[in-house]
Amino acid sequence: MAFLQMKSYAGRLLLTVLLGLFLSCESKVTNTSKKEESKDPIAYKIDSILSNMSLEEKIGQTAQRGKSSRVKELPKDLKEAVRKGQIGSFLNIMNKEDAKELQMLAVEESPNKIPLIFARDVIHGFKTIFPIPLGQAASFNPMLVQEGARVAAIEASTSGIRWTFAPMLDISRDPRWGRIAESAGEDPYLTGVMAEAYIKGFQGEDLSSPTSMAACAKHFIGYGAAEGGRDYNTANINENLLHNVYLKPFKIAVNAGSATFMTSFNDLNGVPASANKYILKDILRDEWGFDGFVVSDWNSIIEMINHGFAKDKKEAAEKSINAMLDMEMTSASYQDYLKELIEEGKFSEKKLDVIVRNILRIKFRLGLFHNLYFDSNDTILYDKKHLASAQESAAESTVLLKNINNLLPINSKKKLAIIGPLANAPHEQLGTWTFDGEKEHTITPLKSFQQDGQYTIQYSEGVSYSRDKSTKGFGNAINTAKSSDVILFFAGEEAILSGEAHSRANINLPGVQEELINELHKTGKPIVLVIMAGRPITLGNIIDKVDAVLMAWHPGTMGGPALKNIITGVVSPSGKLPVTWPKEVGQIPIHYNHKNTGRPVIPEEFVHMDSIPIAAWQSSLGNTSHYLDAGFLPQYPFGYGLSYSNFKYSDVRISSANPKIGDTITVKTIITNTGNIKAKETVQLYFRDMVGSLTRPVKELLRFKKVTLEAGASKEVIFNFSTDDVSFYGQDKLWVTEPGDFKLWVSKHSMDEANELEFTLE
Ligand code: NOJ
């Protein structure tokens, strides 16, 4: 990480001793009561600004505006509004000169000289694009994720962006949902670990440094539970699931110091998140003590009219402001109606002061009051070290799912046929949410093999883009395959097929990719299928036709070299699935941490529908919680991923078979790389609470550790956890740790039960 510390910015900072003091004290502020604040210099400063602010200016701080990219000039009315202090933040101002001009107006001409915050969706890189977040989660490597977020902050802050709308922490159990690409997958613990890594990376060691960006934990809450995976849809999440699964990573985000939160578009159990007092006030503020600010999602306040929750804009504003939603993104219901609502006694100026304090507090923490302007250091964009970091991240995100007869890695004597719509698609491999990454900087797999020069390659795209339905390229591709030893087929989805409002009802390879794979299979040449996509892809029609499968997600700028190194064995794959991979869409939702049911699957008794006799006696006996056609297994389980090496787990042990509540429990194992190459393995610790006052999942990820081992080397892996880590939110609406029997598994993936331990909590 040392290289990311960057050069000194001291010269750029207009630090005063007093403000330095303010900042050092600010981090200690947790209690916002008036008395406490008066002891604190920043709170004191905020109070003194507040006392000079008119009601209009206070309302102004709650407004976040954007500018259409189609409009070249900064509109006059926008400038005027800034001059009057009627805007608190902007999003998507991408012209640095515009940003500078607006900031100057704010800090020099507005009544209280309050700086603006410029925000942007910097989701998985700014210019140097890292793998999509689902891919980064597959690395199971929080240090790499933190480093990627740091790179993003360093690059984005050169444009004055000091606030990113990331990380997205929505638990995603439905790969039809396009935004699964932007998530860390289905597991609350893994998502929490990733949350902390992103927040540390974006915010850096000191939020007031000009290269730090405020993080935004989003979307609060339940967006990933959208009905049927259709974006923006209703989320019905019962109280237990809400606390035990969906809220968990957000709590971790608060503890990690996320400066801001964003509400979600969906309604949660009938109450839209943007006016949901229970989550915004009772949980986020009162229970968790969050002292940053909350922004709505794009127009999500006024969309409550469509939800049928508010009759008009005014009522929408009333409901959101009373839920203490601090800032309104893009729509202007607060601006238009807050004054009226206060005059009518439907909200109070005192409460508005609390909101303005929340916003100003973050502006102070960002150092915006003393570091007025930014100067851009463009030379840092696409820095060599940033590219190296993106390549490492892409390599560690790649998951080896299948490798018959050790087809991979491929040695340089083999002639390679490079085929498929994603082999040389510089824009597509960047993935969703890459407004700023430029395809000219992308290195595709084809380019990477060409640049390497050691391999005999022939290229024929076969189909020109993922949805292409034309078969006119098939002939060439088949001939190319015939004159080669191995086919590298780069398949997948274009970037536009995942992300916001890009859900799919079928999640197979689109277009005629499957047909082409079938034709190539007929050549008898072995096929390595490399998938670039924003979600797991159902492979039922082709899985038996290919010999090896690598899931590369959308790997970003440096996907090409990362994949070339894996395919050729320079690097052994080490990614693990952060989501359960279904065989068929009909199995969705499918996730490893499900409940057992009263009739759990009995694998040896499963009868496929093709084996049921005609006119069989109608009975449910012998049948369990499975599908007659698709069975009960996923294609690949959560946590799964192969390596070019093998790992032996031995000497698995627990510190105590009868721990007491409050104890720390230690699980140890020795892991040995039994293969002949250096490789990484993610050791996963799962648990099951066997009997609970609420039914418990069959398995929950408790800890994981990624270790690097030279060929033949061994290492001891130690996991510590407390009995709080196996607690759950129970029937009495409290967190409980219940005495009783627990099982633990030290595993290679969520279905591996080879190393089982037990303990009884007393
Ligand atoms: C809508 C998306 O849901 C949110 O994640 C994003 O940050 C905002 N638009 C701003 O672009």
Side-chain angles (χ1 to χ4, degrees), residues 30 50 59 94 122 353 439 510 516 632:
T30 50
L50 257 177
I59 294 170
M94 281 322 292
V122 183
D353 286 352
K439 66 175 184 186
L516 180 53
F632 52 90

Side-chain angles (χ1 to χ4, degrees), residues 472-753:
K472 69 174 190 292
F474 278 28
N476 267 344
I478 291 163
N479 288 337
T480 304
K482 281 183 180 158
S483 58
S484 305
D485 299 316
V486 179
I487 300 165
L488 301 181
F489 192 93
F490 291 87
E493 291 177 321
E494 296 147 71
I496 196 65
L497 297 186
S498 58
E500 186 177 344
H502 287 84
S503 297
R504 296 180 61 201
N506 291 303
I507 54 168
N508 53 349
L509 291 175
V512 287
Q513 296 181 76
E514 290 187 349
E515 279 98 311
L516 180 53
I517 291 169
N518 276 317
E519 292 306 314
L520 292 171
H521 173 65
K522 290 180 192 156
T523 65
K525 305 287 177 173
I527 302 178
V528 177
L529 175 67
V530 184
I531 304 169
M532 292 189 193
R535 54 165 67 81
I537 296 290
T538 47
L539 299 170
N541 297 330
I542 48 158
I543 190 67
D544 296 334
K545 311 276 170 60
V546 299
D547 303 84
V549 180
L550 281 168
M551 179 58 176
W553 317 98
H554 284 129
T557 308
M558 297 302 283
L563 283 166
K564 192 208 68 190
N565 282 348
I566 286 181
I567 291 166
T568 59
V570 176
V571 172
S572 176
S574 64
K576 301 273 187 179
L577 291 177
V579 275
T580 303
W581 190 297
K583 285 190 290 194
E584 297 182 22
V585 151
Q587 293 177 297
I588 298 168
I590 182 170
H591 49 97
Y592 84 94
N593 44 3
H594 58 84
K595 301 287 184 72
N596 205 31
T597 81
R599 294 192 184 183
V601 166
I602 308 171
E604 38 308 335
E605 288 184 12
F606 170 67
V607 181
H608 189 275
M609 65 190 249
D610 293 347
S611 308
I612 299 176
I614 294 167
W617 177 250
Q618 283 192 20
S619 165
S620 60
L621 287 181
N623 281 346
T624 61
S625 182
H626 59 238
Y627 294 103
L628 290 177
D629 46 2
F632 52 90
L633 290 172
Q635 188 79 57
Y636 303 109
F638 173 89
Y640 184 77
L642 302 169
S643 162
Y644 293 156
S645 198
N646 287 304
F647 300 94
K648 193 178 94 192
Y649 292 37
S650 56
D651 205 8
V652 179
R653 57 211 187 280
I654 184 166
S655 54
S656 163
N658 299 91
K660 301 201 171 22
I661 289 182
D663 283 358
T664 295
I665 301 166
T666 302
V667 170
K668 294 182 180 173
T669 187
I670 306 284
I671 168 167
T672 306
N673 178 349
T674 56
N676 49 22
I677 60 164
K678 177 181 170 182
K680 295 185 179 197
E681 168 73 334
T682 299
V683 185
Q684 300 160 43
L685 179 68
Y686 294 89
F687 81 100
R688 177 170 175 190
D689 183 348
M690 300 307 290
V691 180
S693 56
L694 271 184
T695 57
R696 312 302 312 128
V698 293
K699 215 163 263 186
E700 293 177 78
L701 184 65
L702 185 56
R703 292 284 183 273
F704 63 84
K705 207 164 258 179
K706 192 164 192 172
V707 288
T708 308
L709 287 169
E710 296 294 336
S714 296
K715 228 178 224 173
E716 186 172 48
V717 172
I718 302 175
F719 296 113
N720 289 313
F721 62 95
S722 86
T723 53
D724 282 353
D725 293 317
V726 296
S727 67
F728 61 93
Y729 189 84
Q731 290 196 46
D732 301 332
K733 301 187 187 302
L734 291 172
W735 286 88
V736 284
T737 309
E738 293 182 339
D741 295 337
F742 288 78
K743 278 191 180 175
L744 291 167
W745 295 272
V746 180
S747 312
K748 296 181 174 176
H749 57 79
S750 60
M751 281 176 59
D752 165 23
E753 301 197 338

Side-chain angles (χ1 to χ4, degrees), residues 91-92 121 123 165 179 182 218-219 223 232 262 265 297-298 329 433 435 500:
L91 79 165
N92 299 343
D121 290 284
I123 308 296
F165 297 134
R179 296 198 82 167
E182 201 186 335
K218 73 184 187 185
H219 304 85
Y223 191 23
Y232 312 126
M262 186 189 294
F265 285 122
D297 203 342
W298 186 288
M329 186 192 291
W433 284 120
F435 293 135
E500 186 177 344

Side-chain angles (χ1 to χ4, degrees), residues 426-443:
H427 170 75
E428 310 309 340
Q429 79 178 48
L430 297 181
T432 183
W433 284 120
T434 48
F435 293 135
D436 304 289
E438 295 135 319
K439 66 175 184 186
E440 293 70 23
H441 289 260
T442 302
I443 306 183

Side-chain angles (χ1 to χ4, degrees), residues 376-413:
S376 51
N377 173 17
D378 285 358
T379 56
I380 206 71
L381 305 176
Y382 300 112
D383 185 89
K384 261 213 255 138
K385 286 167 184 154
H386 297 183
L387 294 172
S389 178
Q391 181 172 329
E392 199 182 343
S393 180
E396 289 213 15
S397 298
T398 301
V399 189
L400 177 63
L401 295 170
K402 179 175 179 178
N403 196 16
I404 300 291
N405 300 327
N406 293 330
L407 174 60
L408 287 171
I410 291 169
N411 72 46
S412 59
K413 290 185 196 93

Side-chain angles (χ1 to χ4, degrees), residues 119-135:
R120 179 95 167 145
D121 290 284
V122 183
I123 308 296
H124 51 112
F126 181 63
K127 294 288 179 186
T128 304
I129 301 298
F130 284 68
I132 53 169
L134 190 59

